[in-house]
Amino acid sequence: EIVMTQSPATLSVSPGERATLSCRASQSVSSNLAWYQQKPGQAPRLLIYGASTRATGIPARFSGSGSGTEFTLTISSLQSEDFAVYYCQQYNNWPLITFGQGTRLEIK
Amino acid sequence: QMQLVQSGAEVKKTGSSVKVSCKASGYTFTYRYLHWVRQAPGQALEWMGWITPFNGDTNYAQKFQDRVTITRDRSMSTSYMELSSLRSEDTAMYYCACTSSADEGAFDIWGQGTMVTVSS
């Protein structure tokens, strides 16, 4: 099983600043990686797929990068609605899927 | 618009089974993989398995292999997830999600979730 490790577990950032979230795979997943945002009491929302492609309707301040085992989600200028939990997910090991443990992005 | 609507919350006894439904609308049900993901309170997302609605093929996470069954009814555009031999650790929100037409590995439509509570 491919293990996805996200860091940090919690990230404190001020509104308007940049946030950088990391996700590491225990073995290469090529570019078969997605990022999701989840707010309390809501289902997850797809942000990024293919490591760097924004999903429909996702603002340009969200960007994804990386390939192989190291990935980054960057939010360029944090808005109040961006404070949430973020998960990475690999799907290179199809048909098996794994998620990371999540990073909680909180207001500093 | 495309959506997945799940059945309501369940309260079950330890050792029993639960069956959750997920009805699709706004897209061709047979064109997209349908996955099931759960989330225990305060915990991370955990993938359970998927079904191909077109032919009913399934694949399960090893952790759930012996206890989960995912099925579908094409005529109803509905998938079902049944989990047996319930224990307290199965208390969680259960989500269905379908894969994106742009990338078959990413989940772009999610159901609202079904809370399953297991107690003795």
Side-chain angles (χ1 to χ4, degrees), chain A residues 2-55:
Chain A
I2 297 178
V3 177
M4 308 301 292
T5 303
Q6 292 187 241
S7 60
T10 303
L11 182 62
S12 300
V13 183
S14 300
E17 294 188 340
R18 174 188 297 256
T20 302
L21 290 67
S22 296
C23 176
R24 174 178 292 178
S26 60
Q27 63 190 75
S28 177
V29 297
S30 187
S31 294
N32 295 310
L33 183 111
W35 289 93
Y36 299 86
Q37 176 193 67
Q38 188 179 33
K39 296 180 180 179
Q42 296 184 17
R45 177 175 70 144
L46 177 65
L47 300 175
I48 301 286
Y49 61 89
S52 61
T53 303
R54 279 189 302 278

Side-chain angles (χ1 to χ4, degrees), chain A residues 66-100:
Chain A
S67 65
T69 62
E70 300 285 342
F71 301 88
T72 300
L73 174 69
T74 302
I75 311 171
S76 60
S77 178
L78 280 165
Q79 307 297 303
S80 58
E81 62 267 29
D82 299 336
F83 293 96
V85 179
Y86 292 83
Y87 293 96
C88 61
Q89 171 225 342
Q90 73 77 23
Y91 46 93
N92 188 67
N93 194 29
W94 189 265
L96 304 179
I97 306 289
T98 47
F99 288 93

Side-chain angles (χ1 to χ4, degrees), chain A residues 31-32 34 36 38 41-46 48-50 55 87 89 91 94-102 104, chain B residues 33 35 37 39 42-47 50 59-62 95 99-100 102-108 110-112:
Chain A
S31 294
N32 295 310
Y36 299 86
Q38 188 179 33
Q42 296 184 17
R45 177 175 70 144
L46 177 65
I48 301 286
Y49 61 89
Y87 293 96
Q89 171 225 342
Y91 46 93
W94 189 265
L96 304 179
I97 306 289
T98 47
F99 288 93
Q101 291 301 299
R104 180 178 305 277
Chain B
Y33 291 97
H35 293 251
V37 176
Q39 186 172 38
Q43 301 301 308
L45 302 170
E46 183 174 32
W47 176 76
W50 57 250
N59 203 285
Y60 303 126
Q62 187 169 7
Y95 295 101
T99 50
S100 166
D103 187 323
E104 287 191 331
F107 308 161
D108 67 344
W110 292 70
Q112 83 276 20

Side-chain angles (χ1 to χ4, degrees), chain B:
Chain B
Q1 76 281 18
M2 295 183 293
Q3 63 176 346
L4 299 171
V5 178
Q6 299 182 224
S7 49
E10 303 264 11
V11 179
K12 293 293 183 179
K13 295 289 190 184
T14 303
S16 67
S17 298
V18 67
K19 191 171 186 177
V20 180
S21 68
C22 171
K23 183 173 177 59
S25 62
Y27 72 95
T28 303
F29 180 60
T30 53
Y31 282 9
R32 297 176 174 222
Y33 291 97
L34 198 294
H35 293 251
W36 288 87
V37 176
R38 79 176 188 180
Q39 186 172 38
Q43 301 301 308
L45 302 170
E46 183 174 32
W47 176 76
M48 299 180 71
W50 57 250
I51 188 165
T52 307
F54 177 75
N55 60 11
D57 283 352
T58 56
N59 203 285
Y60 303 126
Q62 187 169 7
K63 174 178 180 177
F64 302 103
Q65 189 82 37
D66 296 335
R67 297 197 296 136
V68 71
T69 303
I70 299 174
T71 57
R72 95 298 189 212
D73 181 336
R74 287 175 55 167
S75 67
M76 297 290 291
S77 297
T78 299
S79 176
Y80 304 90
M81 187 284 299
E82 183 170 21
L83 188 63
S84 62
S85 302
L86 290 170
R87 37 219 193 214
S88 59
E89 310 90 90
D90 295 319
T91 294
M93 185 71 79
Y94 289 78
Y95 295 101
C96 59
C98 71
T99 50
S100 166
S101 59
D103 187 323
E104 287 191 331
F107 308 161
D108 67 344
I109 306 296
W110 292 70
Q112 83 276 20
T114 296
M115 186 67 205
V116 175
T117 303
V118 182
S119 67
S120 55

